[in-house]
Amino acid sequence: MKKKVLISLIIIVLVILLFPRRNALNDGGTIEYKAVVYKVSKVHRYKIDGKYNNNFENGIIIEVFGKEIYNNVK
């Protein structure tokens, strides 16, 4: 009985920590997936280069515990 309760509690905690929430930003099309432990951003935003061109920055940013571990935004 105690073992089943412990396993159920662990599963509930993992779902809360790892299940992401989707958030669309108004910067050209960036979408963020946020959970308590990590954040993944699919970046598609206007590139600020001072020339008024229709250029976009594209890529993925991955953060775990608030530390950026991957960034290929160009």
Side-chain angles (χ1 to χ4, degrees):
M1 180 72 173
K2 275 188 166 185
K3 193 173 189 177
K4 289 182 182 181
V5 172
L6 182 62
I7 291 172
S8 299
L9 184 63
I10 289 171
I11 290 172
I12 291 170
V13 168
L14 286 176
V15 166
I16 290 171
L17 292 177
L18 299 176
F19 191 73
R21 197 178 79 231
R22 185 178 184 267
N23 186 19
L25 302 178
N26 293 326
D27 64 349
T30 299
I31 297 179
E32 289 184 343
Y33 298 94
K34 284 182 167 182
V36 175
V37 178
Y38 67 92
K39 178 172 82 167
V40 176
S41 301
K42 290 176 138 183
V43 177
H44 183 75
R45 61 182 172 212
Y46 291 112
K47 185 176 186 179
I48 300 170
D49 60 359
K51 297 180 182 179
Y52 302 108
N53 294 331
N54 289 332
N55 296 326
F56 287 93
E57 293 179 329
N58 294 307
I60 296 174
I61 301 171
I62 300 173
E63 296 178 10
V64 177
F65 295 115
K67 302 269 185 179
E68 187 176 284
I69 59 169
Y70 182 76
N71 185 346
N72 73 340
V73 176
K74 296 178 184 174

